[in-house]
Structures are given as C-alpha cells and as structure tokens.
Amino acid sequence: MRRLYKPIMFSFLLALSYGGYCQYESILEERIVGRVLDTLEVNENNTVVHTLWLNDTLKIVVQNEHLKYNFKSTNKDGENTKRLFSLTERKSYINNLKTEGQNCFSFALEHYFARNGMAQQAVFNKRTLIGLETIGQILNHYFIEVKAFNTLSKQNFKTKIPDNTLLTFSSQADKVIHAVYHDKGLYYTKCGGSEAAEFLNLKNFIKENYKETQLVKIYKFDKARLDLALNK
C-alpha cells in the first residue's frame, strides 16, 4: 500500500468541490464526510482506496474524475479496428461509462443519509462503488434491522414497509444482491450500470429484476450507535 499525499485528487471525499467544506471545524465532521487513508490500487478509470468513515475503514472504488474513453471497435477476430463514431454514439458511451461509477449499495446509502441530516457525507455518491464486505460493515455497525420477510409467499409482500428505510435483497445463500431506499411508498434504486430510477411495487420489481431474492431485510440508521461512534 502507498500513502496518499494528494487528497485534492479525491475532492469528492473531502467535499472540497461540491460541499464547500474547505476546512473542518471539528474531527467529528471529518469522520462523517470521510477521509482517504491509503490508495490500494490505481486502474484506468477508477482508484481503490481505504477511507475512514466514522469508526470504520471502508474499501471504496472511486471513479476517476477524468475518464479515458476507448472508441475503437473490435472485429470478429478480436482485433481493434478504427471506425468513425457518431456524436450520439460517443455521448451514449461516455454517459454509460459515467453511470457505471455508482452501484446500488452506494446509491441507497447516499439517499438514506441525504434524507437523514448527513448530506455532507461525501463517501457515497455518483462516483463510488462499494462491495458486499463494505455494505456489511455499515449495516452491522450503524444500522438496526427493523423487519424482514421471505419473498416465497406473495402474502408477505403485504408487509408494511416503514418510511425512511433501507432495504436489502438476499438470495437463498443469504448473499445480499441489491439495496434500495424507501420513503412514503416510493422506492429509489440503481441497478448495475443503469440510470437511477423509482418504482412503487416491490413485488413486481423483484419479480422483473431480482428473481433470486428470497429475503428482504429492512433497516434504519441507529442514532445511538452514531452518537457512540462520534464520541469515542
């Protein structure tokens, strides 16, 4: 691992570009916003970092601010060939690449925290991906499970979903495969590299997009754990 000496490269985490937080008045605010500790890996269009958030060191994949675009096409023999791409094709390609910068876990957390007085956090945004281990850390350490139901029974979908909650979908192997934010009957989602969307019917959404789902868990942020984390 190499130590990161240029935090300006990750202004999205330090909220220098978007949040207007050029200096922090307290360590507590810095721990909510997030602070990059180490750079683990640098790839063509993303950087993998360890970030301190509250009491946890999280592994975050960050899409680089300046992306590299490959407009070469591949022929049937697997060789790169040159061809002219239309402006529409180029815009579509660039938009798709940028959309892939955030996954469902980061998206659900971004919406949850924005609705719960933590809009200044900058770890979960349009340019960050987090994996199963990281979402597990966050849910286990800072959320509480308030409800859960099995999807094998259609009757279970009549379960009342509380407002302002984060939902996870799990497979038979108890592997979390998706997460959404819910409030006032509306669900907010981002599936893979697709654009963010909203839906009303949980049963239909799961049937059409995540048929392997067998368990839905419903979480709320644990303010007591947050207070404990900030006062340590």
Side-chain angles (χ1 to χ4, degrees), residues 17-210:
S17 297
Y18 305 108
Y21 291 89
C22 295
Q23 293 182 345
Y24 298 117
E25 296 181 0
S26 70
I27 294 298
L28 301 185
E29 184 177 4
E30 180 179 288
R31 287 166 63 192
I32 291 174
V33 172
R35 177 164 58 89
V36 175
L37 300 176
D38 297 290
T39 300
L40 306 178
E41 185 179 340
V42 178
N43 300 308
E44 184 177 55
N45 279 322
N46 60 61
T47 303
V48 185
V49 297
H50 267 156
T51 299
L52 178 64
W53 191 76
L54 296 179
N55 284 340
D56 282 72
T57 298
L58 307 177
K59 185 177 181 180
I60 310 288
V61 180
V62 183
Q63 188 177 74
N64 297 338
E65 184 175 358
H66 301 291
L67 302 176
K68 296 180 180 179
Y69 307 119
N70 179 15
F71 291 111
K72 292 181 179 179
S73 59
T74 304
N75 61 24
K76 63 181 180 180
D77 297 320
E79 298 175 346
N80 287 332
T81 58
K82 292 182 179 180
R83 82 172 179 87
L84 293 176
F85 287 82
S86 69
L87 181 60
T88 299
E89 287 177 318
R90 286 174 177 264
K91 286 183 176 179
S92 177
Y93 175 84
I94 292 171
N95 182 65
N96 289 340
L97 192 58
K98 288 182 176 180
T99 301
E100 292 174 356
Q102 184 176 37
N103 63 355
C104 65
F105 301 147
S106 172
F107 179 83
L109 288 168
E110 178 188 17
H111 273 65
Y112 192 97
F113 293 135
R115 300 289 181 92
N116 288 273
M118 291 178 64
Q120 75 270 37
Q121 74 79 24
V123 176
F124 313 107
N125 59 51
K126 291 182 179 180
R127 288 171 51 204
T128 58
L129 301 167
I130 62 174
L132 286 174
E133 180 180 352
T134 300
I135 187 68
Q137 277 181 272
I138 297 168
L139 292 177
N140 290 334
H141 295 173
Y142 305 108
F143 282 76
I144 52 175
E145 182 183 321
V146 294
K147 280 188 179 182
F149 64 88
N150 194 298
T151 62
L152 297 180
S153 170
K154 294 181 180 180
Q155 194 69 21
N156 288 345
F157 282 100
K158 294 182 180 181
T159 299
K160 181 174 175 55
I161 309 297
D163 289 340
N164 192 26
T165 49
L166 188 149
L167 280 64
T168 62
F169 305 165
S170 298
S171 64
Q172 185 178 15
D174 200 28
K175 178 181 178 181
V176 177
I177 55 178
H178 192 60
V180 301
Y181 173 73
H182 169 265
D183 192 40
K184 296 179 174 61
L186 195 59
Y187 299 86
Y188 301 82
T189 182
K190 186 178 186 300
C191 303
S194 64
E195 295 283 353
E198 301 169 0
F199 66 91
L200 291 168
N201 192 302
L202 181 62
K203 182 178 72 173
N204 288 348
F205 177 79
I206 289 177
K207 182 179 179 180
E208 293 172 6
N209 299 280
Y210 296 95

